[in-house]
Amino acid sequence: MKWFLRQIFLRRFDLFVLGFYFSTLVFLITSLPYYVDVKSHNLLLVEYLEAGFFPLPPGYYALIYLVDLLIRIKYPFVASSAIVLTFFFWWKYRLIYSWFRASLPEFRDTLVFSLVFSFLVVSPIYIPAIDGTLWYLGKFTQTIWHNSTLICVFPFCIILVKKTFNWLESKDVKDVFPILAFGLVILLIKPSFLFAYVPTLPFYLFLRERKISMSLILSFGIGIVFFLLILLEKHLIFNWDPMLAELYTEEEKSQVVLSPLKVWRHFSYEPVFDFISSFPLLILYLAFWQKRAFDSQLFCFSLILLFFALAIFLLFAETGYREFHGNFYWQIPIALLLCHLSIVLTVSREFLDSGRKYSGKVVVLFLIYLIQVVWGVGYWLRIFSDFIVS
């Protein structure tokens, strides 16, 4: 019994995160009066399987299908989707925890956990008098509770960035293969992150090296491979999918079009406020740290990544039944998380190196971060009180 209790104590943080997200997910699936993405994806898989096909891209659907073969409680894919998504939420937590632990070894485990857990709920700033009932649509956030494919792909995107920096440090061609491998996994689950990653990698390398190097040439090669695979997947989803004719009329079928601001303006009633309230930490960090902010290579890379992520969402749209599904949005939460991660690590490191002295700019940044955490907790509580994720 003592051994068992000790194991629980040693894994208390992991068990808390697993229970926290699993209970949230079960509530989303069972209690919300409309179809959140998790339920919609489950029903889509059922519909495709009944017709003898499989949805595209297949990665997430294959996972919940396989787990469902082992565990099913009453309805198909409900238990399996909850198990799979809880695992990936926990994996995301573990990756971020390891990053914080390695970067801030002076912090105690409890403090690192508190910092990481707060980081998992960071949210835009909401003002009910301005936002009304729309606390999510129109804003840009790093925290997503309901989009199953994004939750599933999140850890692989974090690992892809880490593998990218491994290659940039080693300059070894063999380190390109893990990049291609994780990029392929991302493509098979949800390709959105690659939309921003493809232009970011060579752009970042050119700004860093300011010359034509072998690394830059390889980065273009990586980008071309991913871009061609994205085009292939687009063709399969938008044109080849055999269920399109069964589910949609010709007018409802989607295509990608250049339509600046169309989707964002559809959801954002106060675009200037939505933009500022989505990036207060980033705006203040750039204002206070100025050129020193770019001493962090992770910040440079993630800021470029965020720029392309936003540009893709703001410029492109879809027609037909996907018109306002916001499918060009999902690279933004990942890029924003990485950007915020670099800021929190840099400021925390500077705080430690200064002998734990609180400068005015550190205090202001800490307060803004705390406000975003508080609103993130408020958003999470609102799921249970108002039965809503918008």
Side-chain angles (χ1 to χ4, degrees):
M1 177 60 74
K2 288 183 179 179
W3 178 87
F4 180 71
L5 293 175
R6 177 172 172 76
Q7 295 306 309
I8 290 178
F9 178 78
L10 291 174
R11 293 167 174 78
R12 63 194 184 281
F13 298 143
D14 297 87
L15 292 172
F16 177 82
V17 170
L18 288 166
F20 171 77
Y21 186 69
F22 185 78
S23 58
T24 302
L25 192 59
V26 169
F27 183 85
L28 285 171
I29 295 173
T30 61
S31 301
L32 263 63
Y34 54 88
Y35 288 138
V36 293
D37 283 7
V38 181
K39 288 196 286 188
S40 297
H41 288 158
N42 290 347
L43 293 172
L44 184 69
L45 179 54
V46 169
E47 197 166 14
Y48 269 73
L49 290 174
E50 287 177 349
F53 302 111
F54 211 77
L56 296 170
Y60 168 71
Y61 299 104
L63 282 172
I64 63 172
Y65 177 82
L66 291 173
V67 174
D68 189 72
L69 295 176
L70 301 174
I71 303 172
R72 175 180 290 191
I73 301 174
K74 195 173 182 179
Y75 300 109
F77 310 120
V78 173
S80 62
S81 61
I83 292 169
V84 166
L85 292 178
T86 299
F87 169 78
F88 280 104
F89 185 89
W90 169 81
W91 191 12
K92 171 185 165 184
Y93 153 76
R94 286 302 310 176
L95 289 169
I96 297 171
Y97 182 91
S98 298
W99 211 325
F100 272 89
R101 180 77 280 173
S103 302
L104 305 169
E106 298 91 335
F107 283 177
R108 295 179 180 177
D109 287 345
T110 303
L111 181 55
V112 173
F113 169 74
S114 300
L115 192 57
V116 174
F117 186 76
S118 72
F119 194 75
L120 293 177
V121 298
V122 167
S123 190
I125 293 174
Y126 306 104
I127 298 179
I130 298 175
D131 292 307
T133 59
L134 296 180
W135 282 29
Y136 168 71
L137 299 175
K139 293 184 185 288
F140 306 103
T141 178
Q142 71 173 48
T143 305
I144 299 295
W145 297 104
H146 68 286
N147 187 276
S148 51
T149 48
L150 179 65
I151 294 166
C152 184
V153 83
F154 230 119
F156 296 106
C157 298
I158 294 173
I159 294 172
L160 175 63
V161 171
K162 297 192 82 169
K163 293 297 182 183
T164 299
F165 276 94
N166 289 346
W167 168 61
L168 293 175
E169 185 177 337
S170 71
K171 303 287 187 179
D172 195 327
V173 175
K174 71 179 182 182
D175 289 329
V176 171
F177 294 107
I179 295 174
L180 295 173
F182 280 102
L184 181 60
V185 172
I186 291 167
L187 193 80
L188 292 173
I189 299 172
K190 192 180 192 74
S192 304
F193 183 70
L194 295 180
F195 301 166
Y197 179 86
V198 165
T200 294
L201 183 56
F203 190 79
Y204 166 78
L205 262 170
F206 181 75
L207 288 179
R208 193 174 84 161
E209 299 184 354
R210 302 298 177 99
K211 63 180 182 180
I212 304 298
S213 64
M214 181 56 66
S215 298
L216 182 62
I217 294 171
L218 273 173
S219 72
F220 275 110
I222 293 168
I224 290 170
V225 170
F226 286 155
F227 183 68
L228 291 175
L229 289 173
I230 289 169
L231 289 181
L232 174 62
E233 187 166 83
K234 174 186 175 294
H235 171 74
L236 294 175
I237 293 171
F238 285 85
N239 302 108
W240 178 85
D241 188 341
M243 287 292 285
L244 289 176
E246 297 290 330
L247 298 174
Y248 311 106
T249 66
E250 285 300 320
E251 293 74 21
E252 291 174 326
K253 291 180 182 178
S254 294
Q255 292 297 326
V256 176
V257 295
L258 185 65
S259 186
L261 303 181
K262 180 180 180 180
V263 176
W264 187 41
R265 289 305 304 271
H266 175 77
F267 292 118
S268 177
Y269 300 147
E270 299 290 342
V272 175
F273 173 74
D274 281 342
F275 190 88
I276 294 172
S277 63
S278 296
F279 306 111
L281 195 69
L282 174 58
I283 293 169
L284 286 175
Y285 179 68
L286 287 170
F288 290 157
W289 267 255
Q290 299 178 11
K291 289 183 179 180
R292 288 195 300 117
F294 299 96
D295 291 343
S296 166
Q297 294 303 306
L298 176 61
F299 178 75
C300 295
F301 186 86
S302 59
L303 187 64
I304 297 169
L305 196 64
L306 181 60
F307 169 79
F308 282 114
L310 287 167
I312 289 164
F313 172 67
L314 295 175
L315 290 176
F316 293 97
E318 291 173 288
T319 59
Y321 76 99
R322 295 174 183 262
E323 185 175 15
F324 295 117
H325 285 197
N327 287 322
F328 285 111
Y329 178 87
W330 302 113
Q331 66 280 358
I332 296 174
I334 306 168
L336 186 56
L337 178 139
L338 291 167
C339 209
H340 281 161
L341 177 66
S342 66
I343 293 171
V344 173
L345 290 177
T346 298
V347 175
S348 298
R349 184 75 264 162
E350 186 167 312
F351 167 71
L352 289 170
D353 291 344
S354 68
R356 302 185 183 233
K357 294 179 180 178
Y358 290 96
S359 63
K361 61 184 181 181
V362 168
V363 170
V364 172
L365 223 65
F366 172 76
L367 289 175
I368 289 297
Y369 177 79
L370 187 61
I371 289 170
Q372 290 194 251
V373 171
V374 169
W375 278 120
V377 173
Y379 177 91
W380 174 75
L381 291 172
R382 187 169 172 261
I383 295 173
F384 295 90
S385 63
D386 294 356
F387 301 89
I388 193 170
V389 294
S390 63

